[in-house]
């Protein structure tokens, strides 16, 4: 049995691959790429059918973060020309959220820059959650506010939050090269706090920061051990004015291999293509849908995304369907396990082949789950499909915090 047959068989049985097998996925050739996508696609369809969950980011507070995360346009000392504003009022955030829901999003992700929330900030977010759920009681709300202190996760849960996002971003061994103002262990602690409070845990990674294949496998295996309900996969956009501005390391083929590796390691977990998909996957975005079952709709935190209608058209043209509010996201066994934690949701028999599907997922973060994605400029260049593109960055200039409507 060859590698892809072994990985497919393990994924259909929810069996963890070995590190060597995960590394082998990243080492496959371009000639093998469609076979890799097809194998990961079989696993994706087993647990999630042909549904695509849409998530919508609302950036509650933008810029001026005291942390020094090298990848982030909102970091301490960043010279990136991004929007900067303090807390949106609950009605402003609810209005932005409604635009995303109208576009088909079933989850709203409330994000605020900063090291972590104060107790007053938790009160602000609680008021915002109430405003959003007053408008639509069925919408899922995920908070991403940075590092949590004791009892803050419980307060968010009591306020109606369904999930909490905090990414590991990279491997423990290289984390200190990316950030010095907090530790990898701090991040693990926050994910654990969210889990313990009954929130659906969402935690992912950022690829393209100069990491090795071993680093990628390390962080994905660490995520699997934390057992989040959702794993967002970000592809770094090297913002000018940040330390990683020259790190253009990704190609569409590389991104698809990374997504496939994540799917094989996390077969029954929501895998989301997050920031950077428009820039790095480009015309191969539809192939990514055969591996991942979730994306962000419209804009990201500090950068413009593909127009919302283009996302919807892409999903339809690729033969997928938008997951409805009445459907659930996670497979039955995960939804049942999470039912006591606010992420179980409704259950629907026969939603995807042999298993029904449950709910959950996650969103952006001040440490940025969806915060790197950019919209490609309308630029055509020849002969560059195997080279990184450095001409595709556009800073977000619309959406929440501006006088222009959100891009939904």
């Amino acid at each position: 049995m060859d590698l892809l047959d072994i990985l497919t068989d393990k994924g259909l049985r929810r069996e963890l691959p070995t590190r060597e097998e995960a590394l082998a996925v990243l080492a496959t050739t371009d000639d093998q790429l469609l076979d890799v996508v097809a194998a990961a696609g079989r696993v994706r369809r087993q647990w999630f059918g042909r549904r695509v969950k849409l998530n919508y980011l609302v950036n509650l507070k933008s810029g001026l973060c005291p942390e020094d995360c090298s990848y982030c346009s909102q970091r301490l000392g960043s010279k990136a020309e991004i929007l900067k504003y303090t807390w949106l009022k609950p009605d402003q955030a609810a209005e932005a959220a409604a635009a995303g829901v109208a576009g088909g999003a079933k989850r709203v992700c409330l994000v605020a820059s900063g090291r972590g929330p104060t107790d007053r900030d938790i009160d602000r977010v609680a008021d915002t959650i109430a405003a959003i759920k007053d408008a639509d009681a069925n919408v899922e709300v995920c908070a991403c506010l940075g590092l949590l202190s004791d009892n803050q996760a419980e307060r968010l849960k009591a306020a109606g939050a369904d999930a909490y996002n905090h990414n590991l971003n990279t491997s423990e061994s290289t984390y200190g090269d990316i950030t010095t103002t907090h530790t990898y262990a701090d991040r693990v602690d926050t994910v654990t706090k969210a889990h313990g409070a009954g929130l659906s845990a969402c935690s992912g990674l950022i690829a393209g920061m100069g990491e090795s294949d071993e680093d990628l496998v390390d962080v994905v295996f660490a995520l699997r051990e934390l057992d989040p309900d959702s794993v967002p996969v970000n592809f770094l956009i090297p913002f000018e004015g940040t330390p990683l501005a020259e790190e253009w390391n990704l190609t569409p083929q590389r991104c698809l291999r990374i997504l496939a590796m994540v799917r094989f390691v996390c077969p029954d977990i929501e895998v989301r293509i997050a920031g950077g998909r428009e820039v790095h996957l480009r015309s191969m975005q539809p192939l990514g849908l055969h591996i991942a079952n979730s994306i962000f709709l419209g804009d990201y935190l500090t950068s413009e995304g593909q127009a919302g209608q283009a996302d919807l058209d892409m999903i339809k043209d690729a033969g997928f369907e938008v997951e409805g509010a009445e459907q659930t996201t996670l497979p039955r066994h995960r939804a049942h396990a999470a039912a006591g934690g606010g992420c179980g949701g409704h259950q629907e028999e026969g939603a995807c082949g042999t298993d029904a599907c449950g709910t959950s997922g996650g969103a952006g973060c001040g440490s940025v789950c969806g915060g790197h994605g950019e919209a490609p400029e309308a630029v055509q260049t020849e002969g560059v499909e195997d080279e990184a593109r450095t001409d595709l960055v556009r800073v977000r200039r619309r959406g929440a915090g501006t006088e222009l409507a959100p891009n939904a």
Side-chain angles (χ1 to χ4, degrees):
M1 186 179 292
D2 69 14
L3 171 69
L4 294 179
D5 289 336
I6 292 170
L7 288 168
T8 301
D9 184 60
K10 286 186 173 182
L12 297 179
R13 292 186 285 112
R14 294 188 286 131
E15 182 180 336
L16 190 66
T18 66
R19 282 182 51 83
E20 291 71 23
E21 289 165 345
L23 285 167
V25 174
L26 297 178
T28 54
T29 67
D30 287 352
D31 287 342
Q32 298 170 299
L33 185 62
L34 288 181
D35 293 331
V36 172
V37 173
R42 281 193 63 195
V43 178
R44 179 247 202 268
R45 291 192 301 276
Q46 165 76 10
W47 303 114
F48 300 97
R50 300 190 69 83
R51 294 169 296 106
V52 177
K53 182 174 183 176
L54 297 181
N55 309 268
Y56 191 72
L57 285 166
V58 177
N59 200 4
L60 297 178
K61 181 166 74 78
S62 182
L64 307 175
C65 181
E67 303 298 288
D68 68 354
C69 306
S70 298
Y71 51 80
C72 186
S73 60
Q74 305 184 80
R75 72 186 298 272
L76 178 69
S78 171
K79 294 180 173 56
E81 296 181 358
I82 62 169
L83 289 168
K84 298 181 180 69
Y85 51 87
T86 190
W87 290 90
L88 297 182
K89 292 181 172 58
D91 60 338
Q92 293 174 308
E95 183 179 359
V101 173
K106 66 181 293 183
R107 169 160 289 192
V108 172
C109 308
L110 302 177
V111 189
S113 63
R115 179 179 177 85
T118 65
D119 287 341
R120 183 183 177 191
D121 293 337
I122 296 292
D123 290 337
R124 287 190 178 101
V125 175
D127 291 342
T128 298
I129 293 171
I132 291 171
K133 295 216 169 189
D134 282 347
D136 186 341
N138 293 319
V139 67
E140 298 175 15
V141 175
C142 178
C144 179
L145 313 172
L147 300 172
L148 292 175
S149 300
D150 291 344
N151 299 318
Q152 289 185 329
E154 287 79 4
R155 290 181 61 196
L156 288 168
K157 172 70 175 173
D162 300 287
Y164 196 83
N165 165 261
H166 200 64
N167 295 327
L168 297 187
N169 289 330
T170 192
S171 68
E172 183 175 12
S173 64
T174 60
Y175 194 83
D177 298 332
I178 300 300
T179 304
T180 67
T181 49
H182 60 268
T183 67
Y184 179 92
D186 290 332
R187 289 187 171 273
V188 171
D189 179 67
T190 286
V191 177
T192 303
K193 280 185 168 74
H195 243 324
L199 292 166
S200 172
C202 169
S203 189
L205 66 142
I206 304 172
M209 297 191 291
E211 69 283 337
S212 66
D213 285 0
E214 288 76 11
D215 289 322
L216 286 171
V217 170
D218 282 349
V219 68
V220 175
F221 271 67
L223 287 166
R224 177 61 188 250
E225 188 172 342
L226 283 175
D227 196 32
D229 292 322
S230 175
V231 173
V233 180
N234 295 279
F235 300 111
L236 175 74
I237 291 300
F239 276 103
E240 291 185 15
T242 66
L244 297 184
E246 303 302 320
E247 293 287 344
W248 288 91
N249 303 310
L250 298 171
T251 65
Q253 295 85 353
R254 171 76 169 167
C255 293
L256 289 171
R257 292 186 191 98
I258 292 169
L259 286 170
M261 185 269 288
V262 175
R263 173 55 73 199
F264 289 129
V265 178
C266 305
D268 59 340
I269 293 173
E270 177 189 347
V271 175
R272 180 178 308 127
I273 315 176
R277 68 176 165 91
E278 298 90 342
V279 176
H280 294 297
L281 281 168
R282 302 194 291 276
S283 62
M284 296 175 76
Q285 288 182 69
L287 283 180
L289 295 178
H290 287 271
I291 305 171
N293 62 296
S294 180
I295 64 172
F296 283 105
L297 177 73
D299 289 344
Y300 298 94
L301 294 178
T302 62
S303 55
E304 294 181 7
Q306 184 168 281
Q309 187 58 53
D311 287 335
L312 299 176
D313 291 343
M314 175 182 70
I315 291 168
K316 181 179 179 181
D317 291 347
F320 293 89
E321 62 182 27
V322 173
E323 185 174 289
E326 76 286 354
Q327 296 175 303
T328 50
T329 303
L330 294 177
R332 179 190 296 133
H333 60 275
R334 290 194 64 89
H336 177 73
C343 57
H346 342 287
Q347 300 203 1
E348 177 184 341
E349 290 294 331
C352 51
T354 59
D355 269 89
C357 307
T359 177
S360 223
C365 182
S367 54
V368 203
C369 165
H372 306 299
E374 308 292 340
E377 299 285 353
V379 176
Q380 297 288 333
T381 58
E382 296 182 359
V384 295
E385 61 269 15
D386 292 323
E387 299 177 2
R389 292 279 297 277
T390 62
D391 60 337
L392 298 174
V393 177
R394 182 187 295 167
V395 173
R396 176 172 174 170
R397 301 196 183 284
R398 61 177 182 266
T402 76
E403 295 179 354
L404 301 175
N407 179 28

